Amino acid sequence: TISTTGAPVGNLTKQRAIWISKDTLLWKISGGSGLKYALVYSPDAALELSPEGINNGSEIPLTFVSDKPGVDILPSYPHLRDYAVFKVTDTTKLADILKGQISVIALSQSGKAVDATGVQIPGALDELYPYDGPLGVTFDGAIPTLRVWAPTAQAVTLFMYDTEKASYANKTPMQWDGTTGVWSLTGDESWNGKYYLYEVKVFAPSTGKIETNLVTDPY
């Protein structure tokens, strides 16, 4: 099959745009106000590049601000001094967007795709979910509470084992705190001395898919 519209432009597997705060995104792209820009996201990681742009996603317009960061941004991100600055026009769905696949696209005024890329999100996460409290396992007397900061996770489940070689796990969903980005679970005295892992359902930029991984406690 020969396409009459050309090949897709851009690469969603490369995260060349940097989301540095809730409403500010940096992208090394030329074109300025002569192009139209949008953030495109998919909770189930269904984004696909086509000659027409990015399919299977929801869009939020981006507003071009300047060709280079100003004094309000540059001291914190000197290595991004050649990146253009954009404002995210709608941040009401930010928490949900950050849990899925995210990209940005640039279009000509006629709607022809010029470039597209994935997005790095640590800056936006840090601003949306500030937390300096306890993580890992803490005890209140003999009662343990487990906490893990995982704001991009769509679900976290505790797998608890009676022995280090047990193949069977007791599985308990952990509770999400939308203010701190922390998943937590409080147990009882019988948990002391048990073994555990976390099952985390999360978008993985390395594969471009929603993955379910069984991992150790990073804390």
Side-chain angles (χ1 to χ4, degrees):
T1 301
I2 300 174
S3 170
T4 60
T5 55
V9 297
N11 189 334
L12 300 188
T13 67
K14 305 291 185 182
Q15 285 75 47
R16 295 186 288 111
I18 320 293
W19 202 341
I20 64 169
S21 66
K22 292 179 182 179
D23 65 350
T24 305
L25 186 143
L26 305 183
W27 185 10
K28 192 174 183 179
I29 184 172
S30 59
S33 57
L35 300 176
K36 297 184 293 184
Y37 307 89
L39 184 145
V40 188
Y41 64 95
S42 169
D44 53 359
L47 299 183
E48 290 183 351
L49 273 181
S50 76
E52 292 76 29
I54 302 175
N55 297 332
N56 308 324
S58 301
E59 287 192 9
I60 294 177
L62 296 174
T63 301
F64 173 77
V65 176
S66 63
D67 290 321
K68 296 181 183 297
V71 294
D72 56 329
I73 297 175
L74 198 56
S76 299
Y77 298 92
H79 58 296
L80 304 180
R81 64 177 65 253
D82 295 325
Y83 281 55
V85 182
F86 301 87
K87 286 295 181 183
V88 183
T89 58
D90 182 1
T91 60
T92 57
K93 299 178 181 179
L94 184 56
D96 292 331
I97 292 172
L98 292 172
K99 288 179 177 289
Q101 184 181 17
I102 309 169
S103 64
V104 289
I105 189 168
L107 303 165
S108 67
Q109 293 299 327
S110 63
K112 181 179 177 60
V114 174
D115 198 1
T117 186
V119 181
Q120 298 179 41
I121 61 175
L125 287 178
D126 288 341
E127 183 174 341
L128 187 62
Y129 299 109
Y131 181 73
D132 60 1
L135 293 168
V137 181
T138 60
F139 280 87
D140 181 5
I143 304 300
T145 296
L146 297 89
R147 299 179 181 89
V148 58
W149 190 80
T152 61
Q154 298 184 1
V156 180
T157 302
L158 175 70
F159 278 44
M160 191 165 61
Y161 305 85
D162 290 334
T163 70
E164 62 180 322
K165 295 183 179 180
S167 58
Y168 172 80
N170 291 305
K171 304 173 185 179
T172 309
M174 300 185 73
Q175 299 172 344
W176 162 250
D177 186 336
T179 301
T180 63
V182 172
W183 295 81
S184 65
L185 185 63
T186 297
D188 56 46
E189 295 183 15
S190 68
W191 289 19
N192 193 6
K194 297 294 180 68
Y195 297 79
Y196 71 99
L197 295 169
Y198 293 129
E199 182 189 69
V200 183
K201 181 181 179 182
V202 64
F203 171 71
S206 59
T207 65
K209 300 177 182 179
I210 304 297
E211 303 285 2
T212 300
N213 300 313
L214 199 58
V215 301
T216 56
D217 189 336
Y219 307 104

